[in-house]
Amino acid sequence: MQTIYEAYSPEETFEFGKRLGEAAKPGDVYALAGDLGVGKTVLAKGIAEGLGITDPIVSPTFTIVQIYESGRMPFYHFDVYRICDPEEMEEIGYEDYFYGNGLTMIEWADLVEDLLPVTRKNIRIEKDLEKGLDYRRITVSEVGI
């Protein structure tokens, strides 16, 4: 199943993320893809709010994973942009998160596609400058469900 959402502002991207967070269940994995500056972190902030997380959300570009536990379930926020070798993910113990009891969201998921669970939601964010600078098309595809 595939759903397409169109956002015309960062606030609308955030609100869509919030709805994703509200609908999330323990063990869900969101595999996020999109170019630099497309709004992946804005979406992550919305997801966190939907989970009831009050901590400031920052992209874990250098730490690879940021764990938030103040919401209704843990939120494991990965940014694998700097991963050069799948062994780095093993050193982090990624399977504990991917197959854990929280919501796992992986920015740049296409870089570690071979490690992703079979059952997940693929989320792609794309710009279309013909529709405006803030326009985003967000495509959610359920895989293995």
Side-chain angles (χ1 to χ4, degrees):
M1 184 171 105
Q2 181 173 306
T3 303
I4 296 175
Y5 177 79
E6 294 182 299
Y8 290 88
S9 69
E11 293 79 16
E12 288 183 10
T13 299
F14 178 93
E15 285 301 317
F16 183 70
K18 183 177 175 184
R19 288 198 301 261
L20 287 172
E22 290 169 345
K25 300 179 301 302
D28 280 354
V29 174
Y30 293 171
L32 188 54
D35 293 335
L36 281 170
V38 81
K40 293 182 296 294
T41 301
V42 170
L43 189 77
K45 289 178 181 185
I47 289 169
E49 183 160 308
L51 292 171
I53 294 169
T54 56
D55 302 325
I57 304 300
V58 295
S59 186
T61 302
F62 296 101
T63 59
I64 310 300
V65 64
Q66 186 69 40
I67 302 165
Y68 302 95
E69 298 185 288
S70 63
R72 64 180 174 88
M73 74 175 99
F75 179 38
Y76 310 123
H77 181 190
F78 280 79
D79 183 330
V80 299
Y81 184 73
R82 299 196 184 284
I83 293 291
C84 298
D85 187 324
E87 284 184 20
E88 293 178 65
M89 291 295 286
E90 290 175 19
E91 291 172 12
I92 295 168
Y94 77 93
E95 289 179 327
D96 293 339
Y97 303 106
F98 285 19
Y99 301 99
N101 292 321
L103 169 63
T104 301
M105 190 194 83
I106 307 120
E107 293 188 36
W108 300 99
D110 47 330
L111 299 176
V112 295
E113 191 165 349
D114 291 345
L115 303 177
L116 297 176
V118 174
T119 302
R120 64 182 184 271
K121 288 185 181 174
N122 289 338
I123 303 170
R124 174 164 294 282
I125 305 176
E126 300 169 294
K127 293 180 182 181
D128 183 343
L129 295 179
E130 291 182 9
K131 293 189 177 186
L133 290 176
D134 291 329
Y135 172 85
R136 301 296 185 265
R137 180 177 45 246
I138 305 169
T139 305
V140 180
S141 305
E142 296 183 15
V143 179
I145 298 175

